[in-house]
Amino acid sequence: MSLTAWPVQAPYPMMRHRRLRQAIWIRDLVAQSHLSPQNLIWPVFVVEGNRQEQPVVSLPGINRMSIDVLLKRAEEAHQLGINLIALFPVIDLALKTPDGREALRPDNLVCRAIQALKQNLPGLGVMADAALDPFTSHGHDGVLHEDGRILNDETVQILQQQALLQAQAGADVISPSDSMDGRIGAIRQILEEHGLTDKIILSYAVKYASGFFGPFRDAVGSSVSLGKAGKHTYQLDFRNSDEALREVAADLSEGADIVMVKPGMPYLDIVHRVKSAFGVPTFAYQVSGEYAMMKTAGLAGYLDYDMVMMESLMSFRRAGADAILTYAAVEIAKRLQKG
Ligand code: PBG
C-alpha cells in the first residue's frame, strides 16, 4: 500500500509519534524487524595444519583455522544458535593451477573439512562454495582462456564435478558463487542423477563486481593471483538492478532453493526488490569489506562497532533478507544471547 492511500492520521497533538518511542518495553512491542542467531550464517576460512589460527590482517578478529580448531569454534557457534557455516579453503600456492584441478580432488582441504564437521557436529549445516577462485593460479572463478576470456561452459562442467564432490563429502548446501551462466541447472542435474535429492542449492544469483571483496581475496590468497584483473565479465554491473531480477528468475527456474544478494549494505535496494518480486528465501552477504570498514573504524574509536554492526544487520532484515552471512556472526550471536 502506498503512503497516500492510508487513512488520514490524527494531527498533532492527538497524534504524537514519540508516544511509541518513550520506553524500551513499548519500542520492543512495536518493533517490526528482529534479529536472532538463527538468521546468521558464519563464513570461515580453513587452512591446512594443526592448531592453526592465523589472523587475517585486513579482517581484524578473523582467523584462518585448521580443521581441528574449526571443529571447536563451529561447536561454540552452533551452541550460540548459528545453524549454518560457510567454508572457504585457503589453498597452498603450489597446488594452484590455471584450471583449478585441486578443486576436483576428493581429499582436498574443503572436502576434509566438510567430512570432519558432519562427523563431529551432524546437526550443524555445512555450506560449500562452488567456484574455482581458491584453486586457480590466476585467481578467477573459472577457466581462463589464453585470449583472456573466462570460459563459461568449460567452467560449468568443472563446477558440476566440484559440487558433486562436496555434496558427496556431506555438504548440506551447495553455494555456486562463480557467476557462470547455466551452472545452477547443471549442478541440480548432476545431484539428481546421483540421488542427492535433498542437497540445497543456495545460489549467489546476484553477485556484483565489487571492490568490497578485497579483504576476502587476501584471506584466501586469491588477490595476489588476480592482480588488477577484475571479474567484470561475469559478475554483475553495479549500475544495474533489473539484471539482478533476471538472474534470480533464471536461477530459480534452474532449481535454486535460495537466492543470495552480495555484497549487502550497498545493495539493500536489490534485496528488497528480489524479496518483493519473488517471495523466495532471500539471503544477503555482508562481505569482507563491509565488516572491515566497521571493525577498523570501531578499533580506531571513530564509531561504536557493536552498535553499527547491529544496526547494519537489522537493516538487512528490514530490507527483506531472511538470513545474513556475516563475519560478525559469532560476536553478534554472543551479544544477542546476553540480551
Ligand atoms: C569468490 C568469492 C568471493 C567472495 C566469496 N566467494 C570473492 C570474489 O568474487 O572475488 C567474497 C566474500 C567476501 O568478500 O566476504 N567465489
mmCIF file of all heavy atoms in Angstrom, residues 45 88 129-134 139 141 177-178 204 207 212-217 222 226 231 235 262 285-289 327, ligand 1:
data_model
loop_
_atom_site.group_PDB
_atom_site.id
_atom_site.type_symbol
_atom_site.label_atom_id
_atom_site.label_comp_id
_atom_site.label_asym_id
_atom_site.label_seq_id
_atom_site.Cartn_x
_atom_site.Cartn_y
_atom_site.Cartn_z
ATOM 1 N N PHE A 45 37.360 -19.348 7.121
ATOM 2 C CA PHE A 45 38.495 -19.669 6.255
ATOM 3 C C PHE A 45 39.249 -20.850 6.850
ATOM 4 O O PHE A 45 39.614 -20.833 8.031
ATOM 5 C CB PHE A 45 39.433 -18.466 6.141
ATOM 6 C CG PHE A 45 38.741 -17.244 5.592
ATOM 7 C CD1 PHE A 45 38.461 -16.146 6.407
ATOM 8 C CD2 PHE A 45 38.346 -17.204 4.263
ATOM 9 C CE1 PHE A 45 37.811 -15.030 5.898
ATOM 10 C CE2 PHE A 45 37.690 -16.091 3.745
ATOM 11 C CZ PHE A 45 37.416 -15.001 4.562
ATOM 12 N N PHE A 88 35.412 -21.648 3.276
ATOM 13 C CA PHE A 88 36.270 -21.138 2.199
ATOM 14 C C PHE A 88 37.690 -21.633 2.455
ATOM 15 O O PHE A 88 38.304 -21.287 3.467
ATOM 16 C CB PHE A 88 36.232 -19.613 2.160
ATOM 17 C CG PHE A 88 34.873 -19.076 1.796
ATOM 18 C CD1 PHE A 88 34.029 -18.567 2.778
ATOM 19 C CD2 PHE A 88 34.430 -19.099 0.481
ATOM 20 C CE1 PHE A 88 32.766 -18.090 2.448
ATOM 21 C CE2 PHE A 88 33.167 -18.620 0.139
ATOM 22 C CZ PHE A 88 32.331 -18.111 1.130
ATOM 23 N N ASP A 129 31.213 -23.705 -1.188
ATOM 24 C CA ASP A 129 31.179 -22.860 -2.375
ATOM 25 C C ASP A 129 31.520 -23.647 -3.630
ATOM 26 O O ASP A 129 32.496 -24.379 -3.655
ATOM 27 C CB ASP A 129 32.264 -21.783 -2.187
ATOM 28 C CG ASP A 129 31.713 -20.398 -2.339
ATOM 29 O OD1 ASP A 129 30.639 -20.141 -1.767
ATOM 30 O OD2 ASP A 129 32.356 -19.578 -3.018
ATOM 31 N N ALA A 130 30.726 -23.456 -4.669
ATOM 32 C CA ALA A 130 31.129 -23.962 -5.975
ATOM 33 C C ALA A 130 31.707 -22.776 -6.734
ATOM 34 O O ALA A 130 30.976 -21.875 -7.147
ATOM 35 C CB ALA A 130 29.951 -24.571 -6.713
ATOM 36 N N ALA A 131 33.011 -22.754 -6.858
ATOM 37 C CA ALA A 131 33.734 -21.695 -7.579
ATOM 38 C C ALA A 131 35.196 -22.105 -7.570
ATOM 39 O O ALA A 131 35.641 -22.842 -6.681
ATOM 40 C CB ALA A 131 33.577 -20.335 -6.908
ATOM 41 N N LEU A 132 35.936 -21.617 -8.540
ATOM 42 C CA LEU A 132 37.316 -22.099 -8.659
ATOM 43 C C LEU A 132 38.374 -21.149 -8.106
ATOM 44 O O LEU A 132 39.549 -21.503 -8.033
ATOM 45 C CB LEU A 132 37.627 -22.403 -10.141
ATOM 46 C CG LEU A 132 36.765 -23.507 -10.771
ATOM 47 C CD1 LEU A 132 37.165 -23.737 -12.223
ATOM 48 C CD2 LEU A 132 36.902 -24.801 -9.971
ATOM 49 N N ASP A 133 37.974 -19.955 -7.684
ATOM 50 C CA ASP A 133 38.992 -18.954 -7.341
ATOM 51 C C ASP A 133 39.993 -19.355 -6.246
ATOM 52 O O ASP A 133 41.150 -18.962 -6.324
ATOM 53 C CB ASP A 133 38.356 -17.597 -7.023
ATOM 54 C CG ASP A 133 37.302 -17.685 -5.939
ATOM 55 O OD1 ASP A 133 36.350 -18.467 -6.105
ATOM 56 O OD2 ASP A 133 37.419 -16.994 -4.918
ATOM 57 N N PRO A 134 39.610 -20.153 -5.245
ATOM 58 C CA PRO A 134 40.656 -20.514 -4.274
ATOM 59 C C PRO A 134 41.700 -21.454 -4.892
ATOM 60 O O PRO A 134 42.775 -21.641 -4.333
ATOM 61 C CB PRO A 134 39.896 -21.248 -3.156
ATOM 62 C CG PRO A 134 38.456 -20.916 -3.368
ATOM 63 C CD PRO A 134 38.300 -20.694 -4.840
ATOM 64 N N GLY A 139 43.442 -16.730 -10.009
ATOM 65 C CA GLY A 139 42.502 -16.138 -9.059
ATOM 66 C C GLY A 139 41.096 -15.908 -9.595
ATOM 67 O O GLY A 139 40.233 -15.379 -8.884
ATOM 68 N N ASP A 141 37.290 -17.133 -11.016
ATOM 69 C CA ASP A 141 36.355 -18.174 -10.575
ATOM 70 C C ASP A 141 36.161 -19.269 -11.626
ATOM 71 O O ASP A 141 35.450 -20.242 -11.382
ATOM 72 C CB ASP A 141 34.982 -17.544 -10.276
ATOM 73 C CG ASP A 141 35.039 -16.615 -9.077
ATOM 74 O OD1 ASP A 141 36.121 -16.064 -8.813
ATOM 75 O OD2 ASP A 141 34.010 -16.441 -8.417
ATOM 76 N N SER A 177 29.151 -19.594 -6.328
ATOM 77 C CA SER A 177 29.456 -18.167 -6.178
ATOM 78 C C SER A 177 30.263 -17.673 -7.371
ATOM 79 O O SER A 177 30.876 -16.617 -7.320
ATOM 80 C CB SER A 177 30.227 -17.918 -4.884
ATOM 81 O OG SER A 177 31.555 -18.376 -5.000
ATOM 82 N N ASP A 178 30.232 -18.453 -8.424
ATOM 83 C CA ASP A 178 31.131 -18.244 -9.564
ATOM 84 C C ASP A 178 30.586 -17.321 -10.641
ATOM 85 O O ASP A 178 31.333 -16.843 -11.475
ATOM 86 C CB ASP A 178 31.348 -19.599 -10.221
ATOM 87 C CG ASP A 178 29.994 -20.168 -10.622
ATOM 88 O OD1 ASP A 178 29.236 -20.589 -9.711
ATOM 89 O OD2 ASP A 178 29.661 -20.136 -11.819
ATOM 90 N N TYR A 204 24.376 -17.792 -5.369
ATOM 91 C CA TYR A 204 24.801 -16.393 -5.345
ATOM 92 C C TYR A 204 24.279 -15.819 -6.668
ATOM 93 O O TYR A 204 25.040 -15.542 -7.596
ATOM 94 C CB TYR A 204 26.315 -16.270 -5.338
ATOM 95 C CG TYR A 204 27.039 -16.611 -4.062
ATOM 96 C CD1 TYR A 204 27.199 -17.927 -3.644
ATOM 97 C CD2 TYR A 204 27.629 -15.605 -3.287
ATOM 98 C CE1 TYR A 204 27.917 -18.231 -2.488
ATOM 99 C CE2 TYR A 204 28.343 -15.908 -2.136
ATOM 100 C CZ TYR A 204 28.485 -17.219 -1.745
ATOM 101 O OH TYR A 204 29.207 -17.515 -0.616
ATOM 102 N N LYS A 207 25.473 -11.342 -7.712
ATOM 103 C CA LYS A 207 26.785 -11.034 -7.161
ATOM 104 C C LYS A 207 27.431 -9.961 -8.025
ATOM 105 O O LYS A 207 27.722 -10.182 -9.199
ATOM 106 C CB LYS A 207 27.638 -12.299 -7.151
ATOM 107 C CG LYS A 207 29.012 -12.101 -6.584
ATOM 108 C CD LYS A 207 29.731 -13.418 -6.435
ATOM 109 C CE LYS A 207 31.131 -13.225 -5.908
ATOM 110 N NZ LYS A 207 31.846 -14.501 -5.805
ATOM 111 N N PHE A 212 34.331 -4.367 -2.607
ATOM 112 C CA PHE A 212 34.186 -4.753 -1.196
ATOM 113 C C PHE A 212 34.669 -6.175 -0.899
ATOM 114 O O PHE A 212 34.622 -6.624 0.230
ATOM 115 C CB PHE A 212 32.719 -4.610 -0.765
ATOM 116 C CG PHE A 212 32.286 -3.169 -0.595
ATOM 117 C CD1 PHE A 212 31.565 -2.525 -1.588
ATOM 118 C CD2 PHE A 212 32.603 -2.459 0.548
ATOM 119 C CE1 PHE A 212 31.170 -1.207 -1.448
ATOM 120 C CE2 PHE A 212 32.220 -1.140 0.711
ATOM 121 C CZ PHE A 212 31.492 -0.501 -0.294
ATOM 122 N N PHE A 213 35.102 -6.905 -1.945
ATOM 123 C CA PHE A 213 35.607 -8.267 -1.714
ATOM 124 C C PHE A 213 37.099 -8.288 -1.355
ATOM 125 O O PHE A 213 37.656 -9.366 -1.128
ATOM 126 C CB PHE A 213 35.428 -9.145 -2.968
ATOM 127 C CG PHE A 213 34.012 -9.271 -3.466
ATOM 128 C CD1 PHE A 213 33.756 -9.488 -4.821
ATOM 129 C CD2 PHE A 213 32.941 -9.208 -2.593
ATOM 130 C CE1 PHE A 213 32.453 -9.621 -5.286
ATOM 131 C CE2 PHE A 213 31.632 -9.343 -3.060
ATOM 132 C CZ PHE A 213 31.383 -9.545 -4.413
ATOM 133 N N GLY A 214 37.731 -7.114 -1.345
ATOM 134 C CA GLY A 214 39.184 -7.064 -1.176
ATOM 135 C C GLY A 214 39.748 -7.905 -0.040
ATOM 136 O O GLY A 214 40.605 -8.767 -0.264
ATOM 137 N N PRO A 215 39.284 -7.716 1.199
ATOM 138 C CA PRO A 215 39.873 -8.470 2.311
ATOM 139 C C PRO A 215 39.677 -9.984 2.186
ATOM 140 O O PRO A 215 40.539 -10.764 2.582
ATOM 141 C CB PRO A 215 39.129 -7.931 3.540
ATOM 142 C CG PRO A 215 38.660 -6.569 3.132
ATOM 143 C CD PRO A 215 38.344 -6.676 1.671
ATOM 144 N N PHE A 216 38.557 -10.410 1.589
ATOM 145 C CA PHE A 216 38.332 -11.850 1.368
ATOM 146 C C PHE A 216 39.427 -12.416 0.475
ATOM 147 O O PHE A 216 39.962 -13.491 0.720
ATOM 148 C CB PHE A 216 36.960 -12.071 0.707
ATOM 149 C CG PHE A 216 36.679 -13.495 0.285
ATOM 150 C CD1 PHE A 216 35.972 -14.361 1.112
ATOM 151 C CD2 PHE A 216 37.103 -13.971 -0.959
ATOM 152 C CE1 PHE A 216 35.701 -15.662 0.710
ATOM 153 C CE2 PHE A 216 36.843 -15.275 -1.359
ATOM 154 C CZ PHE A 216 36.134 -16.118 -0.523
ATOM 155 N N ARG A 217 39.755 -11.663 -0.570
ATOM 156 C CA ARG A 217 40.774 -12.157 -1.501
ATOM 157 C C ARG A 217 42.131 -12.248 -0.814
ATOM 158 O O ARG A 217 42.936 -13.121 -1.142
ATOM 159 C CB ARG A 217 40.807 -11.283 -2.755
ATOM 160 C CG ARG A 217 39.521 -11.445 -3.567
ATOM 161 C CD ARG A 217 39.472 -10.566 -4.815
ATOM 162 N NE ARG A 217 38.152 -10.656 -5.451
ATOM 163 C CZ ARG A 217 37.717 -9.842 -6.405
ATOM 164 N NH1 ARG A 217 38.501 -8.889 -6.855
ATOM 165 N NH2 ARG A 217 36.511 -9.999 -6.916
ATOM 166 N N SER A 222 43.726 -15.117 -2.990
ATOM 167 C CA SER A 222 43.491 -15.024 -4.437
ATOM 168 C C SER A 222 43.817 -13.633 -4.976
ATOM 169 O O SER A 222 43.863 -13.441 -6.179
ATOM 170 C CB SER A 222 42.048 -15.418 -4.795
ATOM 171 O OG SER A 222 41.135 -14.504 -4.236
ATOM 172 N N LEU A 226 45.140 -12.681 -8.652
ATOM 173 C CA LEU A 226 44.247 -11.916 -9.522
ATOM 174 C C LEU A 226 44.886 -10.612 -9.991
ATOM 175 O O LEU A 226 44.621 -10.147 -11.096
ATOM 176 C CB LEU A 226 42.940 -11.630 -8.769
ATOM 177 C CG LEU A 226 41.736 -11.188 -9.582
ATOM 178 C CD1 LEU A 226 41.354 -12.257 -10.598
ATOM 179 C CD2 LEU A 226 40.567 -10.897 -8.654
ATOM 180 N N LYS A 231 36.578 -8.932 -12.251
ATOM 181 C CA LYS A 231 35.689 -10.038 -12.605
ATOM 182 C C LYS A 231 34.458 -9.507 -13.335
ATOM 183 O O LYS A 231 33.378 -10.077 -13.255
ATOM 184 C CB LYS A 231 35.311 -10.809 -11.337
ATOM 185 C CG LYS A 231 36.538 -11.398 -10.607
ATOM 186 C CD LYS A 231 36.151 -12.334 -9.468
ATOM 187 C CE LYS A 231 37.389 -12.978 -8.844
ATOM 188 N NZ LYS A 231 37.049 -13.942 -7.773
ATOM 189 N N GLN A 235 30.718 -11.129 -13.118
ATOM 190 C CA GLN A 235 29.904 -10.611 -12.014
ATOM 191 C C GLN A 235 29.098 -9.405 -12.485
ATOM 192 O O GLN A 235 29.453 -8.752 -13.482
ATOM 193 C CB GLN A 235 30.811 -10.263 -10.835
ATOM 194 C CG GLN A 235 31.557 -11.509 -10.305
ATOM 195 C CD GLN A 235 32.510 -11.216 -9.168
ATOM 196 O OE1 GLN A 235 32.862 -10.068 -8.904
ATOM 197 N NE2 GLN A 235 32.962 -12.274 -8.510
ATOM 198 N N LYS A 262 24.753 -10.073 -3.011
ATOM 199 C CA LYS A 262 26.097 -9.855 -2.484
ATOM 200 C C LYS A 262 26.802 -8.801 -3.297
ATOM 201 O O LYS A 262 26.727 -8.878 -4.516
ATOM 202 C CB LYS A 262 26.840 -11.186 -2.570
ATOM 203 C CG LYS A 262 28.289 -11.149 -2.231
ATOM 204 C CD LYS A 262 28.883 -12.491 -2.530
ATOM 205 C CE LYS A 262 30.366 -12.442 -2.220
ATOM 206 N NZ LYS A 262 31.029 -13.666 -2.553
ATOM 207 N N TYR A 285 24.788 -11.296 1.755
ATOM 208 C CA TYR A 285 26.147 -11.497 2.256
ATOM 209 C C TYR A 285 26.737 -10.137 2.634
ATOM 210 O O TYR A 285 26.960 -9.304 1.770
ATOM 211 C CB TYR A 285 26.989 -12.146 1.162
ATOM 212 C CG TYR A 285 28.277 -12.829 1.596
ATOM 213 C CD1 TYR A 285 28.725 -13.968 0.932
ATOM 214 C CD2 TYR A 285 29.051 -12.349 2.645
ATOM 215 C CE1 TYR A 285 29.912 -14.608 1.297
ATOM 216 C CE2 TYR A 285 30.220 -12.980 3.022
ATOM 217 C CZ TYR A 285 30.653 -14.110 2.338
ATOM 218 O OH TYR A 285 31.824 -14.731 2.711
ATOM 219 N N GLN A 286 26.935 -9.943 3.921
ATOM 220 C CA GLN A 286 27.671 -8.758 4.364
ATOM 221 C C GLN A 286 29.148 -9.116 4.194
ATOM 222 O O GLN A 286 29.701 -9.871 4.996
ATOM 223 C CB GLN A 286 27.354 -8.453 5.825
ATOM 224 C CG GLN A 286 28.055 -7.215 6.322
ATOM 225 C CD GLN A 286 27.712 -6.914 7.765
ATOM 226 O OE1 GLN A 286 27.995 -7.718 8.658
ATOM 227 N NE2 GLN A 286 27.096 -5.786 8.014
ATOM 228 N N VAL A 287 29.750 -8.610 3.126
ATOM 229 C CA VAL A 287 31.044 -9.144 2.708
ATOM 230 C C VAL A 287 32.206 -8.565 3.507
ATOM 231 O O VAL A 287 32.037 -7.671 4.348
ATOM 232 C CB VAL A 287 31.275 -8.954 1.189
ATOM 233 C CG1 VAL A 287 30.184 -9.661 0.395
ATOM 234 C CG2 VAL A 287 31.383 -7.483 0.828
ATOM 235 N N SER A 288 33.378 -9.100 3.181
ATOM 236 C CA SER A 288 34.579 -8.781 3.955
ATOM 237 C C SER A 288 34.838 -7.283 4.077
ATOM 238 O O SER A 288 35.160 -6.799 5.161
ATOM 239 C CB SER A 288 35.777 -9.483 3.319
ATOM 240 O OG SER A 288 35.896 -9.127 1.954
ATOM 241 N N GLY A 289 34.687 -6.542 2.973
ATOM 242 C CA GLY A 289 34.980 -5.106 3.011
ATOM 243 C C GLY A 289 34.030 -4.354 3.933
ATOM 244 O O GLY A 289 34.407 -3.363 4.572
ATOM 245 N N TYR A 327 30.778 -12.023 8.896
ATOM 246 C CA TYR A 327 31.954 -12.409 9.676
ATOM 247 C C TYR A 327 31.738 -12.118 11.151
ATOM 248 O O TYR A 327 32.480 -12.615 11.998
ATOM 249 C CB TYR A 327 33.195 -11.685 9.137
ATOM 250 C CG TYR A 327 33.458 -12.096 7.703
ATOM 251 C CD1 TYR A 327 32.966 -11.361 6.630
ATOM 252 C CD2 TYR A 327 34.124 -13.292 7.427
ATOM 253 C CE1 TYR A 327 33.146 -11.779 5.314
ATOM 254 C CE2 TYR A 327 34.306 -13.721 6.123
ATOM 255 C CZ TYR A 327 33.814 -12.962 5.080
ATOM 256 O OH TYR A 327 33.984 -13.398 3.788
HETATM 257 C C1 PBG B 1 34.532 -15.983 -4.995
HETATM 258 C C2 PBG B 1 34.016 -15.409 -3.719
HETATM 259 C C3 PBG B 1 34.278 -14.115 -3.290
HETATM 260 C C4 PBG B 1 33.653 -13.956 -2.074
HETATM 261 C C5 PBG B 1 33.029 -15.165 -1.753
HETATM 262 N N1 PBG B 1 33.258 -16.057 -2.799
HETATM 263 C C6 PBG B 1 35.103 -13.035 -3.831
HETATM 264 C C7 PBG B 1 35.251 -12.789 -5.261
HETATM 265 O O1 PBG B 1 34.312 -12.907 -6.056
HETATM 266 O O2 PBG B 1 36.365 -12.441 -5.621
HETATM 267 C C8 PBG B 1 33.709 -12.677 -1.306
HETATM 268 C C9 PBG B 1 33.265 -12.680 0.076
HETATM 269 C C10 PBG B 1 33.701 -11.517 0.870
HETATM 270 O O3 PBG B 1 34.245 -10.507 0.359
HETATM 271 O O4 PBG B 1 33.499 -11.593 2.070
HETATM 272 N N2 PBG B 1 33.964 -17.135 -5.435
#
